């Protein structure tokens, strides 16, 4: 078996009992879950996540498990599609295996989409709309906007922000704030949250807010943040940048600690 035993165990809940499995365990128990994926070193993390998700979906084919598997296959597909074009001079079989894995990911994503056409799962609805341009899925998703399942999910708040940024920018800002408020401690937020807030606030001439999130983005390690134009606007207004710098540091600390509170609540 080409898969190495990984040290990080994958915990799953089955019939009330928690079992810890490794990639090797799953591949020995259920070879079909692994055999049509690549077995070389390319896309290792994505492959392992896909194997775990595939295993769980095979045992409990709920919409939630299908959603997690769909996301896993999408990330795996993005990686293996690139790797499939890498010609292995000595071992052409590796290139062939990557291409087969790429086809597997495409086929499996198509299967999940087909099986979940009539889903009410918000994550799947978002994917049906954003990937397949399914407007009926969008309608059903927006109808769930005020449900606990959506309101208490940072992921879903970000998804809704990505929709509303095109149709209602003020509402998009609210959802982006909600996403940060739901961010778990020590979890790095999606950089697109900061970039979207900077863009929206600058567009609406709310330069103080644009500057604060530009500084937060910089402090988070995001590169190529164009903050000069924002600084010039604030200096022209006589604003104290040092006080805004401190506020940016405090805000980032709140986000990192999972204690950020949306100012628009």
């Amino acid at each position: 078996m080409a898969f190495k035993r990984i040290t990080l165990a994958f915990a799953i809940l089955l019939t009330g009992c928690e079992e810890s499995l490794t990639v090797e365990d799953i591949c020995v128990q259920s070879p079909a879950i692994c055999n049509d994926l690549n077995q070389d070193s390319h896309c290792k993390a994505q492959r392992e996540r896909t194997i775990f998700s595939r295993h769980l979906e095979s045992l409990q084919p709920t919409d939630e498990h299908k959603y997690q598997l769909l996301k896993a296959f999408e990330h795996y597909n993005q990686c293996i599609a690139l790797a499939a074009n890498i010609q292995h001079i000595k071992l052409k079989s590796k290139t062939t295996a990557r291409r087969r894995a790429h086809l597997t990911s495409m086929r499996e994503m198509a299967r999940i989409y087909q099986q979940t056409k009539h889903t009410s799962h918000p994550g799947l609805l978002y994917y049906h709309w954003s990937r397949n341009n399914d407007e009926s899925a969008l309608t059903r998703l927006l109808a769930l906007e005020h449900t606990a399942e959506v309101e208490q999910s940072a992921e879903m708040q970000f998804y809704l922000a990505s929709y509303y940024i095109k149709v209602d920018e003020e509402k998009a800002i609210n959802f982006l704030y909600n996403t940060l408020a739901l961010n778990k401690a020590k979890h790095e937020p999606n950089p697109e949250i900061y970039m979207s807030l900077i863009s929206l606030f600058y567009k609406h001439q709310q330069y103080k807010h644009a500057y604060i999130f530009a500084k937060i983005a910089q402090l988070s390690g995001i590169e190529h943040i164009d903050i000069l134009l924002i600084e010039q606007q604030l200096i022209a207004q006589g604003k104290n940048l040092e006080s805004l710098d401190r506020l940016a540091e405090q805000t980032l600390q709140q986000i990192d600690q999972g204690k950020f509170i949306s100012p628009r609540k």
Side-chain angles (χ1 to χ4, degrees), residues 171-185:
K171 202 165 185 179
I173 292 172
N174 290 341
F175 279 112
L176 290 168
Y177 272 143
N178 291 344
T179 305
L180 292 177
L182 290 165
N183 187 67
K184 295 180 180 178

Side-chain angles (χ1 to χ4, degrees), residues 29-264:
Q29 293 176 16
S30 307
I33 288 178
C34 307
N35 288 347
D36 56 356
L37 305 178
N38 72 303
Q39 298 187 25
D40 59 11
S41 60
H42 276 84
C43 310
K44 181 179 179 181
Q46 294 89 340
R47 184 185 71 236
E48 290 175 352
R49 178 187 173 190
T50 298
I51 290 170
F52 289 137
S53 297
R54 210 176 187 187
H55 175 66
L56 194 51
E57 193 258 353
S58 72
L59 295 174
Q60 300 175 349
T62 64
D63 275 4
E64 174 61 23
H65 291 160
K66 289 182 186 298
Y67 174 55
Q68 296 302 328
L69 179 57
L70 178 61
K71 291 194 295 180
F73 261 121
E74 184 172 83
H75 292 145
Y76 177 68
N77 180 64
Q78 291 168 351
C79 180
I80 204 65
L82 294 174
N85 291 320
I86 300 174
Q87 295 293 330
H88 199 290
I89 297 175
K90 293 184 178 180
L91 297 174
K92 291 186 178 180
S93 60
K94 287 191 175 184
T95 301
T96 301
R98 293 171 197 156
R99 290 174 177 167
R100 182 176 67 247
H102 175 52
L103 292 175
T104 294
S105 62
M106 297 292 289
R107 183 183 67 248
E108 282 291 273
M109 287 191 292
R111 172 185 69 83
I112 295 171
Y113 281 126
Q114 183 65 30
Q115 291 179 350
T116 59
K117 278 186 175 180
H118 305 292
T119 185
S120 60
H121 186 286
L124 286 170
L125 289 173
Y126 176 79
Y127 265 62
H128 274 285
W129 168 67
S130 62
R131 277 39 171 193
N132 299 327
N133 199 30
D134 186 340
E135 292 296 327
S136 67
L138 174 61
T139 300
R140 282 178 282 157
L141 172 60
L142 295 179
L144 298 174
E145 185 176 314
H146 299 295
T147 63
E149 187 176 11
V150 172
E151 288 185 336
Q152 296 174 13
S153 166
E155 182 177 53
M156 290 311 306
Q157 293 293 294
F158 180 68
Y159 286 165
L160 286 172
S162 70
Y163 163 70
Y164 277 112
I165 203 168
K166 300 174 183 177
V167 297
D168 187 334
E169 293 180 344
E170 284 298 318
K171 202 165 185 179
I173 292 172
N174 290 341
F175 279 112
L176 290 168
Y177 272 143
N178 291 344
T179 305
L180 292 177
L182 290 165
N183 187 67
K184 295 180 180 178
K186 298 182 180 180
H187 185 273
E188 192 74 27
N190 188 328
E192 284 299 317
I193 299 172
Y194 298 141
M195 303 306 292
S196 296
L197 285 170
I198 296 166
S199 177
L200 288 169
F201 283 132
Y202 188 84
K203 180 179 179 180
H204 290 272
Q205 299 182 357
Q206 294 178 273
Y207 301 122
K208 184 180 81 170
H209 298 304
Y211 179 83
I212 288 171
F213 281 100
K215 292 298 292 187
I216 288 173
Q218 286 185 335
L219 292 169
S220 299
I222 301 173
E223 298 179 347
H224 309 300
I225 302 296
D226 189 2
I227 200 171
L228 182 59
L229 290 176
I230 307 174
E231 288 180 342
Q232 291 174 344
Q233 293 287 351
L234 290 170
I235 291 172
Q237 295 175 2
K239 299 294 184 181
N240 184 338
L241 297 186
E242 289 184 4
S243 65
L244 295 180
D245 288 342
R246 289 193 295 272
L247 185 55
E249 292 174 0
Q250 293 169 4
T251 303
L252 177 58
Q253 186 177 47
Q254 291 169 352
I255 294 169
D256 288 342
Q257 294 175 350
K259 296 180 179 179
F260 177 81
I261 299 174
S262 171
R264 297 197 173 191

